[in-house]
Structures are given as structure tokens and as C-alpha cells.
Amino acid sequence: MTAAAVTNVRAERRAAPKPARIPSGDRPAYSTGERRTATEEPAWVRWLLIALALGFMTLFLFVPLATVFVEALKKGWGVYLAAITDDDALSAIKLTLIATLISVPLNVVFGVAAAWAITKFDFRGKNLLLTLIDLPFSVSPVIAGLIYVLVFGLQGWFGEWLRDHDLKVIFAVPGIVLATIFVTFPFVARELIPLMQAQGIEQEEAARVLGANGWQMFRRVTLPNIQWALLYGVILCNARAMGEFGAVSVVSGHIRGQTNTMPLHIEIAYNEYQFAAAFAVASLLAGLALVTLGAKYIVEQRVHRDKREALTQGEPS
Amino acid sequence: MSIEIRNLNKRFGATVACDHIDLDIPSGELVALLGPSGCGKTTLLRIIAGLEVADSGSVLFHGEDTTHTHVRERNVGFVFQHYALFGHMTIFENVAFGLRVRPKSTRPDNAAIRRKVMQLLELVQLDWVADRYPHQLSGGQRQRIALARALAVEPQVLLLDEPFGALDAKVRKELRRWLRRLHDEVHVTSVFVTHDQEEAMEVADRIVVLNKGHIEQQGRPDDVYDRPATPFVLQFLGDVNLFHGRLGHSPGGATAHEDVTYVRPHELEVLGEPIALDGAQGEAPVWPVTFSQALTVGPRTRLEFKRDDGSYVDVELPRARWQGLREQLGLDAGQRAWLRPRQVTRFVAGGQVAVPDDPAAAI
């Protein structure tokens, strides 16, 4: 990102009209520093900064990412395919997808409702709600998992009641889904609130006055205005839901083939020295992350445009 | 459709937005709610629309109580200051919105909607932008579309909240006249909010001047301007010079030291010598002043005079008159001159109104 930004600035400079040629007789040709503008750094500083940024990115991002794929395919496609079609691996993939498919839609509903309440109404405790939405960001995921163990676990508050009714939450799929929902719930709301605040409520009021009912107003006016921000929130939420390790690890119980998600499966395989298997599943997750990143980039452009439009709305053009 | 407002009250915390407001708006009129910002005019408009709920009091449309009618069912057209057009819809869909959201039983078919929308776009002279999006239009065009959208539902009343407030001065002037002509064509009862007295005077049939949540005065533009009921109205509707203390003798011989005399800058005559009005006796209201400077903006010239007590008096006259006057009196900075009012307005302390139109009568 940093490197790209620096490169862009340089590209713009190159495109700018060149200063008039200095006659070689008057000025020595080597003093290129003379042509610098007041805010421009000398060439060696620019190159040093770019090199530093690129070096860091290579060391901490590109190399590890490449390693995942190299390691995964080290022993050939046969081993790779065997590793990801293994029963335990498939079950982990399935569980991750289930947890994601349940938690993301729920968080969409929650996020839209929370953002709506916070931006369109005034009520007591609004700031408290805003702070609470951020709670999962500030609490360690391990603690998030622990909370559910303490509430729903055998020794927990509802443990006995759940056992009597033959319901299993902890060390089972419901616990994993709950933990995933907890760690991902700020994403959609956090993305929508600033945009909806910038957009205000005038369009909704206009729709109301024109006779729209609540659903028509939401469906025809609000939703089209927030759709890109919503999608952006969903993408972030989705990425986190699939990759969540800490909270899920506490409530899962690591029962192979039953309560292992992809990140947990990778950890177990790695601890058992099955590097090919670990990296194969890891490459799947990394691939999903790259797809998410691509989608995020595209959607981000649209969100920025919406926000700009909301902010410049009403100004005569 | 007439609008009646009965004893309306609304507070926001400690701020009083509407203070026992009673108001009748006759059917088919174009009425301006005029006042400084924070006087409650927008709140009053939003209560009429149903976008805000009054603390007490009632709103009647054509004698029918609508106080508790939901904004959806009030059938009002509302035009927002910042247009509030739906950015993701074409202009056509924006105008069609109010028809499309109707329940199936009363919703016109597509052909009827198309006819209606195109007819409205022609009315606002923008039928050629039907397929564009709001962000491709200028501010003035957007506001005309907002008006067409409001009219599409055939509202009983049309409410406009500072409709020209976000536009630049030239477009604003054009749109004002256009709105006036449009109203003469459609004749729907209309209320618009403005803080611009010129706009109110030019567009409205009637002006309601609001201050701190209550009505100061209402009436035809000329009446309000010529016969202001309170000092606030007088000062809000244009510039005015204040003269404290006694001005000649009051008709009954009584004097009040808190009396203030108001004279508008264009009602003052500049004299080279202290002459009283023809036929007037005794202390004539002629003020000795010292010429300070002249500022010419376009066709009008504003003269600044200093009084002996240090206060300043403004006189406004046409540019040509000023040029004649300068030659005639040879006015220069620091020169002595006298001012004679053609019309003064006085409010006796305690709020009682006394409006001697002819200064000679006050003598």
C-alpha cells in the first residue's frame, strides 16, 4: 500500500510539465537538485523510503504468503488434493462455511438495525450502544470464547438446564457459531454508521411525505444508498468469520471431524508435523483472503464515491 | 385547502420553537413564514407536514383535524432546502416515486404514471432531463425537480423549507419569480419558509413574521412593510435608523423618554439648510448631521452621516439623485447637512404602537 502510494506520487510528478531547460552554459548540468520544488525530498531520500517500505512488505507479507503456496504444493498436486479432500479437512471446511453462513447474515441484520437506530433516531444511551458495538474489537477473542464457556458450559450458568434438555452448546457447532458472531458483529454496523450519518435523514423524510411505508422507504431509498457500504461490511465480516481462531478455539473442544474449523484444523495438522496438509488448507484460507481483498478493493471505490456524494449533496454544482 | 393552526406549542429542551401559535392560511394562497434563524419557522412548517409532533395544539386542513394523522396520509408536498432527491434514481423515477409507492388499489398504471410525470416535468420546464441522475443537474434544476416530485402526489398543501437557500444569488432570483408564476398556475395552498425578507416580499401573497416562536405580525407584504406592528418587524424587514428620545411633541403633549423613532434610510431627505416642513410650526424633526461618506452599489447610493451624539445615520437614494445632490450642495466629508424624514414610525415604550405616518402630525 505504502509503496503503491509513493509510486503514484512519482508517476504524477513525471506527468507534470517539465521545467524549462536550463541553458547548459549558465548552470552546471549536474545540479539536478535545483529543479526540486520546495516540498520535494532529494532523490536518495525518496529511493531509501521506497526501498524500506518495499523491503518490509516483502519480508513480512509477500514471502510468508508465497511460502504458504510453495509449502502446500511442495510434494506435488496429488498430496495437495489428498490433504484438502481428507475427511477431517472437508469437515473443517464445511464447519467454517456453516459458521460463516449463519453469522454473516445475522450480523447484516444486526448491523443494519443498529446503524439505523443510531443514525436516524435520538435516544438515551445512544453513545453507550455505540461503545458496546466496539466491544468485540477491544476484548481479546480468547476472553470472548471464555465468556460462552462460563455461560453455556457444563459448570456455567445455563449448563445444567442445557444438559437436562439434551442441548449442547459448548464443544459443539452452536458454540462455534456464537463465538463467531460475537467477534464479527461490529463490522457491518461500523461500516454503515459513518455513511448513514453523512447521508442524514432527508431522503427518508422525503419518501415518507410522498407516501412510502416503512418497508418501501427502506427498500427503495435507504438500501440503495447504503448497498456498497453494506457489501463492504459483509466482506470484512466474512473474512473475519472464516479466519477466527482464538474465540472458536476455546469453545470448540478440537474434536476432529466434528468441531474443527479450518484455522483449528491447520493448527492441529501443523502440530502433528503434517506440514503439507497444514499448508494445503492454509493455502485455501489464504486464497479466500486474496479473493476477499480483491472484492474489498472494488467495493471500497464505490463506498468512497457514495460518501463523497453524501457529503457534497445539496451544494450547488 | 385551507390550513388552520390552533394554539400550537413545541419545545426542544429549553428552546421554545412554537409559542401559542394561531394561524389561518386561506385556500390557494402562497404564504411566507419569515424570521431569523432559530425563530421556529422551520419547526412550524415541519409540524404542518407531520414530520414533527407538536407538544400541544392542533393543525386543521380544511377544518378537519389532522394533528394525529400520519405524515404518509396527510397528502402534503414537501420541498427540502437541500432537495433530498433520490441519488440512485433517474429524474423520471424521482418524480414517479410518490405514485409508485401507492397501494395497488390506487396506484395508476405505468402509462398513466408516465403521462403524469412527463406533464410535471414540462411544467417545471425540465422534460429533457428525465433520464439523467440528480448529480448531473445544477442546484436550480434539482430544486425544480424536487418541486415536481412534491406535486406528483397532487398534495392538498405544498410546503417549502427554505427552497432557495442553497442556491446562488442569481439563480435564487430567477427561481423566486418562477415559483410565483407556477403558483398562479397550480393554485395549491403553499407555505414557504425563508429568512430573506426580500424573497418573502417578492413571492408571497401574505407574510407571517415569526420571532422566538411567536407570530409578530401577519399581513400582505405592503402592509407589513408600511405598517409594522412591532419594532422587531420594522427592523427585520429592511434597514432602519433609530433616533432615541423625544421627537417633537407627541400629539397629546405627553412625552416618554424611552421613545424610539425609526426612519428607513430611503425616507430621509438631505437638506443644505435647516428648513422645516411646509406649514409645520415649533420643533420640526430636522436633524443636524455631518457628512461622512458615500457608498455606491449598483443603482443605489448609501450615504453615511454622523450625528452630534456620535451615532451614525444612513440615507439611501438613487445614484442619479445622489449625483445631483452632490453638485447642488457640494457635499464633502465633514460638511454640515440636515436630514428631514418623510415618514417616521414610533413605538411608545411598553409595546403600545403609535404610527404617525406623516411627521407633521407628530409635531
Side-chain angles (χ1 to χ4, degrees):
Chain A
M1 187 66 216
T2 324
V6 173
T7 324
N8 273 344
V9 171
R10 287 183 49 76
E12 274 165 32
R13 285 220 179 99
R14 235 176 286 135
K18 280 187 180 157
R21 242 183 104 84
I22 303 157
S24 50
D26 294 60
R27 297 256 176 94
Y30 56 78
S31 77
T32 45
E34 296 284 330
R35 291 208 312 232
R36 272 195 285 130
T37 61
T39 55
E40 205 171 335
E41 299 299 335
W44 68 269
V45 174
R46 297 205 303 263
W47 283 110
L48 183 72
L49 287 173
I50 294 168
L52 268 174
L54 271 177
F56 259 85
M57 300 247 313
T58 311
L59 199 60
F60 291 100
L61 257 168
F62 301 145
V63 171
L65 197 61
T67 312
V68 171
F69 290 97
V70 170
E71 284 290 326
L73 294 167
K74 212 175 187 175
K75 293 182 180 161
W77 281 98
V79 177
Y80 180 81
L81 283 178
I84 57 173
T85 51
D86 166 66
D87 277 353
D88 290 351
L90 279 180
S91 129
I93 293 168
K94 199 175 123 199
L95 184 58
T96 295
L97 289 181
I98 289 174
T100 307
L101 282 177
I102 295 174
S103 62
V104 172
L106 280 177
N107 277 325
V108 167
V109 174
F110 165 78
V112 171
W116 183 279
I118 282 169
T119 56
K120 313 275 173 184
F121 297 102
D122 263 324
F123 54 90
R124 258 169 207 274
K126 190 163 155 172
N127 283 329
L128 185 68
L129 180 60
L130 210 56
T131 314
L132 280 178
I133 289 175
D134 280 343
L135 190 68
F137 279 162
S138 48
V139 168
S140 158
V142 177
I143 295 172
L146 207 60
I147 293 167
Y148 288 108
V149 174
L150 291 177
V151 174
F152 298 111
L154 260 188
Q155 318 299 324
W157 293 357
F158 303 117
E160 252 170 67
W161 186 88
L162 287 168
R163 193 188 52 203
D164 293 346
H165 290 79
D166 212 15
L167 295 168
K168 222 167 167 337
V169 175
I170 300 305
F171 307 140
V173 177
I176 290 169
V177 172
L178 276 177
T180 309
I181 290 174
F182 181 85
V183 294
T184 55
F185 89 61
F187 288 100
V188 175
R190 268 283 142 197
E191 202 47 49
L192 290 181
I193 288 168
L195 177 71
M196 288 169 83
Q197 263 167 351
Q199 284 174 340
I201 57 169
E202 264 200 350
Q203 289 192 25
E204 276 79 11
E205 284 185 339
R208 281 307 240 189
V209 175
L210 287 167
N213 62 34
W215 172 247
Q216 285 170 324
M217 171 178 68
F218 177 73
R219 174 72 193 76
R220 287 166 182 254
V221 176
T222 309
L223 198 56
N225 277 337
I226 62 167
Q227 58 186 359
W228 291 105
L230 183 61
L231 188 57
Y232 186 65
V234 166
I235 288 169
L236 291 180
C237 184
N238 185 60
R240 181 70 193 266
M242 288 192 303
E244 176 53 30
F245 179 84
V248 170
S249 174
V250 177
V251 296
S252 137
H254 304 271
I255 306 164
R256 213 173 284 202
Q258 280 180 42
T259 62
N260 268 351
T261 60
M262 281 165 83
L264 300 182
H265 180 83
I266 293 167
E267 198 219 10
I268 290 173
Y270 182 81
N271 285 344
E272 290 175 351
Y273 303 104
Q274 304 173 30
F275 294 133
F279 280 110
V281 180
S283 73
L284 270 188
L285 260 186
L288 283 170
L290 287 177
V291 170
T292 306
L293 210 64
K296 173 177 163 288
Y297 178 76
I298 295 167
V299 171
E300 209 169 21
Q301 309 292 317
R302 307 297 297 254
V303 174
H304 277 307
R305 199 199 56 191
D306 283 358
K307 238 178 235 175
R308 239 191 349 260
E309 265 170 33
L311 289 173
T312 56
Q313 188 190 42
E315 282 171 18
S317 53
Chain B
M1 185 69 59
S2 64
I3 307 170
E4 290 156 58
I5 291 153
R6 293 283 166 265
N7 200 18
L8 201 74
N9 289 290
K10 175 78 180 175
R11 293 169 151 276
F12 293 106
T15 330
V16 182
C18 296
D19 183 11
H20 298 93
I21 286 191
D22 277 291
L23 181 63
D24 285 298
I25 296 166
S27 192
E29 275 204 349
L30 176 53
V31 174
L33 300 180
L34 176 66
S37 54
C39 72
K41 56 193 191 298
T42 294
T43 305
L44 179 57
L45 192 80
R46 288 172 61 87
I47 290 172
I48 298 174
L51 288 169
E52 211 86 61
V53 182
D55 297 337
S56 67
S58 46
V59 178
L60 291 82
F61 284 179
H62 210 69
E64 209 175 298
D65 196 339
T66 58
T67 314
H68 303 292
T69 310
H70 192 271
V71 54
R72 280 178 61 208
E73 280 119 37
R74 283 203 194 192
N75 197 20
V76 297
F78 201 98
V79 175
F80 295 83
Q81 182 178 0
H82 296 293
Y83 331 121
L85 294 179
F86 307 129
H88 58 281
M89 290 182 205
T90 60
I91 296 305
F92 183 93
E93 285 306 319
N94 262 282
V95 179
F97 186 89
L99 302 171
R100 292 219 197 274
V101 296
R102 280 192 187 166
K104 261 211 175 78
S105 52
T106 58
R107 193 190 308 155
D109 61 30
N110 271 333
I113 289 179
R114 170 150 280 274
R115 258 199 318 279
K116 177 92 195 167
V117 171
M118 289 320 287
Q119 184 197 332
L120 279 163
L121 287 177
E122 272 162 41
L123 181 74
V124 299
Q125 296 152 2
L126 283 170
D127 47 321
W128 46 282
V129 300
D131 295 326
R132 299 200 187 173
Y133 285 87
H135 67 89
Q136 295 170 299
L137 268 53
S138 72
Q141 290 172 332
R142 284 187 219 180
Q143 198 54 295
R144 271 145 74 193
I145 295 301
L147 198 59
R149 181 179 69 176
L151 289 173
V153 294
E154 287 170 13
Q156 308 179 53
V157 296
L158 183 62
L159 307 169
L160 306 101
D161 183 12
E162 304 240 11
F164 314 126
L167 304 169
D168 58 54
K170 205 166 151 61
V171 179
R172 192 154 60 211
K173 270 192 175 162
E174 274 168 35
L175 270 193
R176 266 188 220 159
R177 297 213 177 134
W178 175 83
L179 177 67
R180 181 66 245 183
R181 281 198 303 273
L182 185 84
H183 183 264
D184 293 341
E185 244 173 88
V186 231
H187 263 303
V188 56
T189 310
S190 306
V191 183
F192 80 101
V193 156
T194 180
H195 60 262
D196 181 346
Q197 39 98 8
E198 210 181 295
E199 188 170 295
M201 306 275 284
E202 192 173 315
V203 179
D205 293 318
R206 244 151 47 89
I207 294 180
V208 178
V209 184
L210 288 157
N211 180 30
K212 290 177 186 159
H214 68 266
I215 295 174
E216 290 271 341
Q217 191 178 5
Q218 47 174 312
R220 291 190 302 111
D222 284 347
D223 291 344
V224 178
Y225 188 81
D226 291 335
R227 281 180 286 283
T230 63
F232 175 83
V233 176
L234 180 82
Q235 295 187 53
F236 194 73
L237 291 179
D239 299 322
V240 71
N241 293 303
L242 270 70
F243 298 94
H244 290 277
R246 225 159 54 117
L247 170 70
H249 290 294
S250 293
T255 57
H257 289 287
E258 299 91 337
D259 279 6
V260 182
T261 304
Y262 300 84
V263 186
R264 293 211 185 274
H266 67 272
E267 302 281 13
L268 280 166
E269 210 172 331
V270 184
L271 306 170
E273 48 191 283
I275 345 164
L277 276 175
D278 293 342
Q281 320 127 12
E283 294 166 71
V286 174
W287 294 292
V289 288
T290 313
F291 179 63
S292 157
Q293 59 168 338
L295 301 162
T296 303
V297 181
R300 314 277 308 165
T301 299
R302 179 167 283 259
L303 307 179
E304 198 180 75
F305 291 97
K306 197 174 184 182
R307 293 186 70 197
D308 295 345
D309 62 5
S311 63
Y312 284 91
V313 181
D314 282 343
V315 176
E316 207 180 285
L317 46 130
R319 190 189 192 124
R321 274 271 305 283
W322 158 239
Q323 280 160 354
L325 195 71
R326 194 170 44 185
E327 278 173 30
Q328 189 194 330
L329 302 180
L331 268 184
D332 237 328
Q335 194 174 326
R336 213 63 184 145
W338 285 264
L339 299 180
R340 183 172 68 192
R342 277 186 291 265
Q343 184 182 326
V344 302
T345 307
R346 303 176 68 209
F347 301 95
V348 177
Q352 283 298 321
V353 189
V355 193
D357 270 345
D358 181 2
I363 297 152

